[in-house]
Amino acid sequence: MSLSDELYRETILDHYHNPRNQGVLEHATAEAEGVNPLCGDELTLFLNVDQGTIKDIKIKSRGCSINTASGSMMTELMAGMPLDRAVEFVSIFKTMMLDKEKEVELPDEMEDLEALKGVKRYPVRIKCALLPWNTMLEAIELAKHGGGKAAPVTTE
Ligand code: ZN
């Protein structure tokens, strides 16, 4: 294992054992669920959106290390962010995980997420990493259209 692999593993384990913004947000303006049947990952994402900005974000993860770490890093990144920018960041992350040809240069704010790049080598686990982000898109859509609770998202 190279030094960077080692560091990436530590970042993932840190977020898995001490997930950030974990829990339930009372009175969330938007709430969405994500399910990855392949691995058994499940999560609920809560957003408090005010004037197009994510004021508060919480996630309740019940899943594997990749899924939990990915969700934890995502909530850290998205807190305080305007919705449109959040959508851009989801798109950058998805390109990093899904585009086989393109080497994606991550913006500084997404530095930690570099740790998940190695997951690309394990196609089954890519879905684990993507689940929080696909659920995020659903929650953002909802928040933009008056909020509420979304039907569960299943990552394909
Ligand atoms: Zn998983």
Side-chain angles (χ1 to χ4, degrees), residues 36 38-41 63-67 124-125 127-129:
N36 171 17
L38 270 182
C39 177
D41 300 319
C64 69
S65 56
I66 302 292
N67 173 65
V124 178
R125 308 307 298 280
K127 293 185 171 66
C128 303

Side-chain angles (χ1 to χ4, degrees), residues 31-37 41-45 94 127 130-142 149-156:
E31 180 181 331
E33 269 176 69
V35 181
N36 171 17
D41 300 319
E42 284 178 21
L43 60 88
T44 313
L45 186 67
K94 288 181 77 165
K127 293 185 171 66
L130 286 180
L131 186 65
W133 303 75
N134 285 330
T135 310
M136 184 72 193
L137 284 183
E138 197 68 25
I140 290 172
E141 266 313 296
L142 222 80
K149 209 167 171 174
V153 177
T154 304
T155 289
E156 299 298 342

Side-chain angles (χ1 to χ4, degrees), residues 10-12 22 34 39 56 63 69 92 103 107 116 132 135 149 151 154:
E10 271 175 35
T11 305
I12 291 171
Q22 192 68 215
C39 177
D56 220 339
I92 295 171
E103 183 65 21
L116 290 168
T135 310
K149 209 167 171 174
T154 304

